[in-house]
Amino acid sequence: MGKRGSQQAIGRGATLALNCTMCHGAQGMSTSDAPNLAGQYPEVIIKQLKDYQSGKRASPIMVALAKGLSDADIADLAAYYAYLPKARTAPTTYDEALPALVRVGAPLRNIAPCVSCHGGIDQKFGAPWLEGMPKGYLAAQIKAFRSGERGNDSEAQMRNVARAMTDQEIDEVSLFYARKAGVPSE
């Protein structure tokens, strides 16, 4: 394995990513409800693939694909996807036009602002950027955290936030992030 982000690692990652194009798109931009991976933080790609390998995250397709990857393969895939141009045009910044949960959260219900972990004000190490993700994917993941079906979040942070969210709030937040980069919402 070469230096993370090296041209060799990116090239190997691009070759490995040929197995990912059906769901995640030829350049890491999904045309379905799979997540966009172009420009994603490398530590996010690494964590998710390792979580699929270990069983912390479930998906029959992703578990099968991840099981065959070495640590070097995972690092190279992460380098490749991080190298690709991001789906977002600019990070989410704090302004009054943001949906309330994105901007300030709901402190009385123990909901932190989305931007406190997912960019804008701060990017929490290991938290994915969300701008431009497919709305259906985001809504499904928040609902999976809410139900406990998905539990690979550190210290149950997303499960605790999502449990307090209504369906309407999930829809509003998902739509906001899907539209953030001009990606169609449905």
Side-chain angles (χ1 to χ4, degrees):
M1 175 178 84
K3 182 180 170 196
R4 183 192 240 178
S6 71
Q7 290 302 310
Q8 293 87 0
I10 292 166
R12 284 190 299 272
T15 301
L16 289 165
L18 293 172
N19 292 321
C20 311
T21 60
M22 182 69 94
C23 298
H24 298 288
Q27 294 292 307
M29 293 298 293
S30 173
T31 56
S32 64
D33 275 338
N36 295 322
L37 300 178
Q40 186 57 268
Y41 303 114
E43 66 271 11
V44 170
I45 302 286
I46 292 167
K47 179 190 185 313
Q48 296 309 313
L49 287 171
K50 290 191 175 285
D51 284 355
Y52 285 122
Q53 283 183 331
S54 70
K56 288 182 184 176
R57 187 164 181 197
S59 163
I61 293 168
M62 285 304 303
V63 167
L65 290 170
K67 288 273 187 204
L69 297 173
S70 68
D71 287 346
D73 292 341
I74 290 172
D76 292 345
L77 278 165
Y80 169 68
Y81 283 118
Y83 165 80
L84 292 173
K86 291 177 175 60
R88 59 187 169 166
T89 54
T92 299
T93 55
Y94 183 92
D95 79 36
E96 295 299 319
L98 295 176
L101 284 185
V102 172
R103 180 172 39 90
V104 295
L108 296 178
R109 292 187 290 143
N110 203 29
I111 299 176
C114 302
V115 295
S116 66
C117 292
H118 296 285
I121 296 171
D122 194 12
Q123 190 268 321
K124 187 175 183 179
F125 185 76
W129 61 263
L130 301 178
E131 289 93 342
M133 288 289 182
K135 179 182 180 274
Y137 172 77
L138 289 173
Q141 296 310 303
I142 296 169
K143 288 177 181 177
F145 279 124
R146 182 173 68 180
S147 71
E149 178 185 337
R150 182 170 172 189
N152 70 320
D153 52 327
S154 179
E155 305 298 323
Q157 291 172 344
M158 273 305 303
R159 285 173 280 175
N160 290 333
V161 166
R163 268 195 293 273
M165 291 176 71
T166 66
D167 285 341
Q168 181 177 342
E169 289 169 330
I170 291 171
D171 188 64
E172 181 181 62
V173 166
S174 300
L175 182 61
F176 167 77
Y177 279 111
R179 286 185 173 167
K180 180 68 177 129
V183 174
S185 62
E186 302 263 337

